[in-house]
Amino acid sequence: MIGLWDTTGNEVVKALAAERRSAGGVASGMALTLIVVVDEKRVREAEAAATIAAAAHPCRLLVVVRSEIERDRNRLDAEIVVGGRLGPCEAVVTRMYGRLSLHAESVVMPLLVPDVPVVTWWHGEPPAEIATDFLGVVADRRITDTAQAVDPVEALRQRARDYAPGDTDLAWTRITPWRTLVAGAFDTTEARVTEATIVAPPSDPTAALMAGWLCSRLDIPPRRVDSNEFPRMREVQLTCANGDNLTLTREDSVAVFRRTGQDDRALPLVRRPLGDELAEELRRLDADQVYAEALGATAGLRGLEQRPPQRVHVWKDPATAQRAEAGVTAHAGTSGER
């Protein structure tokens, strides 16, 4: 491990090259570059997830931590780890302070592995518009997590409005086991589904995407039943044209499958670690059309998969935006006193 304090991007590139030479074979065969945008307080959590993902997808891991945007002095600290505590990957953890953090691409771009896909993952609330973050514009795949937002369902709708092919969300990844079980229920029947019901908390983005997926696949808008009995999606009920009722109910780490005329069955439905969810999304580096259709159905938007995959970077200074918002609030308060 090499630590560089108050350094420059050029020094980071040189140090990584030297560490790669020392590591030899450990540093070969990179399948992709994974950029992780994360707050300081969640760096270890993101590193743990990326380590699991890197075990399945050897990559160059670039962790970007932005801090103290309004700080007067710019500073770059970096930690370089090749084949060490972060698994079979080349890792560079960069901490950027001051205005430098608004231009993270100046440090990150020279560190990208040539001729391999780039994936950007925001471990936290993503930008409302991905085009405002150059680290998203440069990526072939972009992974967000609407569960981190204050209003996850509204954040999911924003992801639809801002969608470009190559986007995905971990809320979608989390319903892979559910989708697998539901699809498997129709292996022995061709009966058409006439009704669908989802029981879940109203703020659960996985339930919203599940409803979108069922709507896009079956052309039936599912009925939502709000319930806080369980912190996540609790149940999916399907009614078929032949009169059969199919129900999947979550019970801790299993799903109880009930079907008309059959005995109940317990099927595995384990909540996976974050690293496994990230690894699943890294398996495909092309656009996920099924996700686009489900997301579009969730937000009531059509043709998401037909949008152009490229974004044009839109410059946004969050520090200026915060000052402007504070000024508007103060002006409104003053006007109210008159």
Side-chain angles (χ1 to χ4, degrees):
M1 185 190 78
I2 299 177
L4 303 172
W5 316 120
D6 199 4
T7 186
T8 63
N10 190 41
E11 291 301 317
V12 174
V13 172
K14 290 180 180 178
L16 177 60
E19 192 70 0
R20 291 183 77 243
R21 287 193 295 269
S22 300
V26 175
S28 63
M30 298 292 103
L32 55 93
T33 300
L34 175 60
I35 303 172
V36 181
V37 182
V38 62
D39 292 335
E40 179 63 57
K41 62 184 179 182
R42 306 188 71 182
V43 170
R44 295 308 176 196
E45 183 180 326
E47 288 181 346
T51 300
I52 295 173
H57 309 280
C59 61
R60 177 171 292 173
L61 173 62
L62 306 178
V63 180
V64 176
V65 185
R66 295 162 166 151
S67 301
E68 303 176 23
I69 295 174
E70 296 189 3
R71 181 174 175 173
D72 293 335
R73 181 171 176 270
N74 297 324
R75 172 171 170 154
L76 170 64
D77 296 339
E79 179 184 354
I80 299 171
V81 183
V82 177
R85 63 180 176 83
L86 298 181
C89 67
E90 305 173 355
V92 181
V93 182
T94 58
R95 290 176 168 85
M96 304 177 192
Y97 303 91
R99 302 294 293 179
L100 173 63
S101 60
L102 299 179
H103 303 278
E105 68 275 5
S106 63
V107 177
V108 171
M109 291 295 286
L111 297 172
L112 301 181
V113 179
D115 303 321
V116 300
V118 177
V119 180
T120 297
W121 168 41
W122 288 269
H123 184 45
E125 187 167 2
E129 296 181 9
I130 289 179
T132 60
D133 190 341
F134 191 84
L135 300 181
V137 175
V138 74
D140 301 282
R141 286 275 280 169
R142 296 156 294 275
I143 303 173
T144 56
D145 190 354
T146 51
Q148 307 288 338
V150 176
D151 186 343
V153 176
E154 176 56 33
L156 202 58
R157 297 191 188 103
Q158 176 58 29
R159 297 275 56 83
R161 292 188 286 267
D162 188 50
Y163 178 83
D167 293 1
T168 192
D169 193 89
L170 291 179
W172 173 249
T173 319
R174 292 180 185 119
I175 65 169
T176 297
W178 280 95
R179 292 187 291 122
T180 301
L181 294 177
V182 170
F186 291 91
D187 287 344
T188 58
T189 182
E190 297 182 358
R192 182 173 59 89
V193 176
T194 57
E195 295 181 13
T197 302
I198 295 174
V199 180
S203 60
D204 185 3
T206 61
L209 273 177
M210 189 69 181
W213 177 68
L214 289 173
C215 183
S216 65
R217 298 292 96 184
L218 303 174
D219 198 24
I220 298 173
R223 185 171 65 96
R224 289 291 302 272
V225 175
D226 294 341
S227 171
N228 291 312
E229 180 184 355
F230 205 78
R232 299 178 296 280
M233 185 163 51
R234 174 68 166 171
E235 190 170 83
V236 175
Q237 306 168 6
L238 302 175
T239 302
C240 300
N242 62 0
D244 283 358
N245 291 309
L246 292 74
T247 303
L248 278 168
T249 305
R250 183 198 296 268
E251 299 288 353
D252 294 327
S253 61
V254 301
V256 178
F257 177 61
R258 300 180 177 89
R259 183 172 189 161
T260 303
Q262 296 183 6
D263 295 333
D264 293 354
R265 286 186 289 163
L267 304 173
L269 190 63
V270 179
R271 187 172 186 181
R272 299 172 294 171
L274 180 61
D276 287 348
E277 296 170 349
L278 180 61
E280 178 184 324
E281 286 302 330
L282 296 182
R283 290 188 195 123
R284 64 175 306 155
L285 297 172
D286 59 335
D288 190 339
Q289 184 173 350
V290 178
Y291 166 69
E293 293 172 353
L295 182 64
T298 301
L301 300 174
R302 294 181 178 274
L304 298 191
E305 68 279 2
Q306 298 173 2
R307 293 181 181 179
Q310 293 82 20
R311 283 184 170 93
V312 177
H313 182 223
V314 177
W315 167 248
K316 179 180 180 181
D317 186 338
T320 302
Q322 290 172 3
R323 287 195 294 268
E325 183 178 348
V328 170
T329 303
H331 177 70
T334 303
S335 300
E337 293 174 357
R338 293 174 183 174

